[in-house]
Amino acid sequence: MNMNERMAAWNEEAQQCACGHPHRVVNMLIHLEAGAIQRLPGYLSERGYDRVTVVYDQHTFRAAGSDVLSSIRGMGIHVDEMAMRENRTGDIVADEAAIVQIILGVSLESQAVIAVGSGTIHDLVRFVCSKMNKPFLSVPTAASVDGFTSAGAPLIVSGVKQTFQAVPPEAIFADMDILEQAPQVMTAAGFGDMLGKYTSLADWIVSHEMGGEPFCPVAYRITEEALNTCIDHVNAIAEGQSEGVAVLMDALIVSGLSMLIIDHSRPASGGEHHISHIWEMDLMEAGRRPVLHGAKVGVACALITEKYKELAQTSGEPVFSVYESLPEASQITGWLEQVGGPTTTEQLGVTREMVEHALTTAHTLRNRYTGLKYINEVLNTRVI
């Protein structure tokens, strides 16, 4: 089955799920194939969009933006261009300044906004589209993150990383010809984001048992299957083979859909993501260049896996046995090294002080029960 057929099957299964968690019917067109962006002009014409805005940066313009612009204009559709400006460290950051830049650049007459890029541009566009009530279309340029199809927009507001509910894309055009050309470091980041599902899924079970948070077996299984498929194809992903990049991008899209189905990031974001967010804020405060999200998540997953395995052995809480089934931290770092991603906090530019800060404060970033929350609020309290 192609992605759209699978999504229809998941929708049906989710609507019949008796877990008690609200389930969204996902209605999204997904093209994951070579030449996918060639379908974009026809889609716009079919939808009656005769004026759109395309958002890109200098890198994604070269990767896909130029072709997207010329193909749309070739259909006689009016296109407004929005080139994102880099900050003083040479990066695009999803913060208030970038949000304002896009809002000011999107004409009121524009009927849809097209994000051409990876995670940051997508997060900014989905948020702006939710505020301006405009359809959001996705053209990924790298298999680097699982947020392409989700509704959540992680943004830095007043220096704090927060996730805002926004809108998912109306359609996604994931062109394998483009994705295969992305730098391996971007592909490695996407793989790191998927590795984080090991601890996020385990944390979800803990949050359900100890925190009384809703749990959906359908969303859990969808995410777990996507993760396992990536592990099965790690060699192809590491070698940058077409098959490997396709498997990874498929998994990233599926992970986003699992979050969308339950309208919550619980299947794909646990303690490892909270640590990553703290590191991102600390690096930004220190004036350092941002590190790719998935790169931080992968290293954080290995770090927290060690803590969680210790917790399973020492806490006496039966539910923490779920952490015993996690791969060894050395296996996680081995996979990261194999695909060409960073494996240590030092490689991320994260100091020992930043590590300690994250381990002791990341549990306060989201109102979720995780093993990290237990370590800080129960175990550490007992020690004191």
Side-chain angles (χ1 to χ4, degrees):
M1 291 190 292
N2 65 31
M3 182 67 75
N4 296 291
E5 292 170 334
R6 289 153 64 198
M7 185 168 60
W10 292 329
N11 275 332
E12 182 177 354
E13 185 180 1
Q15 292 306 305
Q16 297 174 356
C17 181
C19 71
H21 201 298
H23 298 90
R24 178 201 297 240
V25 176
V26 179
N27 184 21
M28 181 191 304
L29 178 65
I30 301 175
H31 291 295
L32 174 57
E33 61 193 11
I37 62 170
Q38 297 171 17
R39 295 180 178 270
L40 178 55
Y43 175 84
L44 297 175
S45 181
E46 290 171 8
R47 298 289 294 180
Y49 298 148
D50 53 27
R51 181 169 183 171
V52 299
T53 301
V54 177
V55 181
Y56 55 81
D57 64 26
Q58 62 171 334
H59 303 293
T60 63
F61 176 80
R62 292 193 296 269
S66 178
D67 290 339
V68 167
L69 291 169
S70 60
S71 64
I72 295 175
R73 285 175 174 145
M75 288 286 289
I77 298 171
H78 181 89
V79 183
D80 297 314
E81 298 182 47
M82 177 79 255
M84 297 300 297
R85 296 187 299 270
E86 296 178 346
N87 64 10
R88 59 187 175 84
T89 61
D91 288 280
I92 309 297
V93 177
D95 59 8
E96 301 99 317
I99 292 168
V100 171
Q101 184 183 349
I102 296 178
I103 290 176
L104 293 177
V106 176
S107 167
L108 293 177
E109 288 74 34
S110 184
Q111 295 166 293
V113 185
I114 303 168
V116 179
S118 54
T120 299
I121 286 179
H122 275 70
D123 291 333
L124 288 164
V125 170
R126 84 173 72 250
F127 180 78
V128 169
C129 283
S130 71
K131 295 304 180 184
M132 299 185 72
N133 195 28
K134 293 185 182 295
F136 158 45
L137 306 178
S138 163
V139 178
T141 54
S144 59
V145 70
D146 70 352
F148 293 115
T149 51
S150 74
L155 306 171
I156 296 177
V157 178
S158 299
V160 179
K161 185 87 169 190
Q162 306 174 55
T163 298
F164 297 86
Q165 283 302 105
V167 293
E170 185 179 89
I172 180 170
F173 301 85
D175 194 321
M176 285 303 305
D177 292 333
I178 295 168
L179 300 174
E180 290 173 21
Q181 298 303 312
Q184 182 64 23
V185 66
M186 301 287 284
T187 302
F191 183 76
D193 204 7
M194 287 306 303
L195 282 183
K197 311 318 169 201
Y198 275 120
T199 45
S200 68
L201 289 172
D203 267 341
W204 197 12
I205 291 175
V206 169
S207 75
H208 178 61
E209 294 293 327
M210 300 195 73
E213 297 178 29
F215 178 84
C216 174
V218 175
Y220 183 97
R221 192 198 74 245
I222 291 172
T223 308
E224 184 179 44
E225 288 176 352
L227 167 60
N228 290 337
T229 302
C230 281
I231 299 303
D232 291 341
H233 291 80
V234 63
N235 291 336
I237 294 171
E239 294 169 5
Q241 296 178 13
S242 177
E243 178 191 14
V245 177
V247 164
L248 176 59
M249 190 64 194
D250 184 282
L252 292 167
I253 289 174
V254 168
S255 178
L257 291 175
S258 74
M259 292 187 275
L260 197 55
I261 286 173
I262 61 170
D263 209 18
H264 206 285
S265 63
R266 211 59 185 88
S269 175
E272 76 298 322
H273 270 67
H274 304 162
I275 286 176
S276 168
H277 293 330
I278 293 292
W279 287 344
E280 181 173 354
M281 291 186 285
D282 284 352
L283 288 169
M284 182 177 63
E285 185 176 348
R288 304 285 296 278
R289 293 193 66 175
V291 178
L292 289 170
H293 167 76
K296 296 194 299 290
V297 168
V299 174
C301 178
L303 175 67
I304 206 171
T305 290
E306 286 192 45
K307 302 295 182 182
Y308 282 1
K309 284 185 173 290
E310 293 174 10
L311 183 62
Q313 295 294 320
T314 61
S315 68
E317 294 284 352
V319 68
F320 291 143
S321 63
V322 68
Y323 295 139
E324 294 179 337
S325 63
L326 293 172
E328 295 297 326
S330 59
Q331 175 65 82
I332 293 172
T333 56
W335 283 324
L336 290 172
E337 183 176 23
Q338 184 179 354
V339 301
T343 61
T344 67
T345 54
E346 290 81 9
Q347 290 172 326
L348 296 175
V350 172
T351 66
R352 291 183 179 180
E353 291 76 17
M354 290 177 182
V355 171
E356 184 63 23
H357 180 229
L359 288 174
T360 55
T361 64
H363 66 287
T364 66
L365 202 56
R366 300 285 185 271
N367 185 24
R368 296 181 183 175
Y369 205 102
T370 63
L372 197 59
K373 183 180 181 71
Y374 183 90
I375 290 170
N376 282 280
E377 296 188 358
V378 178
L379 284 190
N380 289 351
T381 302
R382 288 177 182 171
V383 172
I384 293 172

